[in-house]
Amino acid sequence: MKTLLTLTVILLLSGCASVKDRSGSSVDIFPATYSLAVKKPSPFLHKFIDSHFSVILAHGIRIDTYTKIGKNWAKSIRRRLLKRGVNAKLIQVHPGINKKDEQFDLLVSTTSPKVQVERCRYYSVNSYEHAYSGCFVENSRWISMTHPQKMLMTTSLDNTKE
């Protein structure tokens, strides 16, 4: 009888609490491409590489050549980037395809993923249970990732290759 009374007291004290299911934050990842088409000689190319070097180091660079001068220039850019520590697999040199772009010697471009997360609402006195717990932490985690696209679920086409 004593255990039944103790169990009843414990059940009454615990009560019924409504716990909201945790759902992940809404994240959009889209590519941001930075590119520069130049004719030799151009001081803008070195400024472009220096200003986007962290993106080049992490995500690589694509160099499209349109002339013979551009082809030779691309080789020197490749050597310079290799000396600065860029992985050889991340440097792609391609012949230009578009005839309109032949006015340039080469086109340099780099693409990095950008993360757009949902806006977190601040807690207020009477609506604390309506706010998503951990929103700021979760959003900061997504924004700080170097390769956020690798955290996304794979598509069914990727799964069939295994």
Side-chain angles (χ1 to χ4, degrees):
M1 186 68 166
K2 197 173 191 181
T3 57
L4 184 61
L5 182 63
T6 307
L7 184 61
T8 307
V9 170
I10 290 173
L11 286 174
L12 288 175
L13 290 176
S14 64
C16 296
S18 65
V19 178
K20 205 173 179 187
D21 290 335
R22 181 175 179 194
S23 61
S25 61
S26 173
V27 178
D28 292 325
I29 298 176
F30 55 92
T33 301
Y34 307 99
S35 62
L36 177 68
V38 291
K39 194 148 188 80
K40 192 173 181 174
S42 175
F44 296 112
L45 180 65
H46 298 297
K47 290 179 183 176
F48 176 83
I49 290 174
D50 289 339
S51 64
H52 298 290
F53 188 71
S54 62
V55 176
I56 293 170
L57 198 58
H59 303 287
I61 189 169
R62 179 184 170 109
I63 304 170
D64 293 317
T65 61
Y66 298 103
T67 63
K68 187 168 180 143
I69 295 170
K71 197 173 195 179
N72 293 332
W73 199 11
K75 289 178 186 177
S76 69
I77 293 168
R78 180 179 169 79
R79 281 192 304 270
R80 185 174 292 155
L81 288 172
L82 288 172
K83 283 181 184 178
R84 289 184 69 179
V86 178
N87 188 346
K89 293 178 183 177
L90 295 177
I91 304 171
Q92 301 174 5
V93 179
H94 299 281
I97 298 171
N98 195 353
K99 295 289 183 186
K100 293 182 205 174
D101 292 330
E102 287 184 356
Q103 62 184 340
F104 301 108
D105 288 328
L106 63 99
L107 172 78
V108 180
S109 62
T110 184
T111 303
S112 74
K114 295 295 179 187
V115 177
Q116 180 69 42
V117 292
E118 66 181 317
R119 186 176 175 143
C120 300
R121 295 188 194 126
Y122 289 102
Y123 294 108
S124 63
V125 174
N126 292 328
S127 65
Y128 62 89
E129 74 270 357
H130 300 293
Y132 168 58
S133 176
C135 181
F136 291 101
V137 175
E138 185 70 13
N139 288 353
S140 297
R141 185 178 75 85
W142 275 98
I143 291 170
S144 69
M145 287 182 195
T146 305
H147 297 283
Q149 70 276 13
K150 292 181 180 178
M151 295 299 294
L152 298 177
M153 293 178 10
T154 57
T155 62
S156 60
L157 294 174
D158 292 337
N159 291 335
T160 58
K161 292 180 184 177
E162 294 177 4

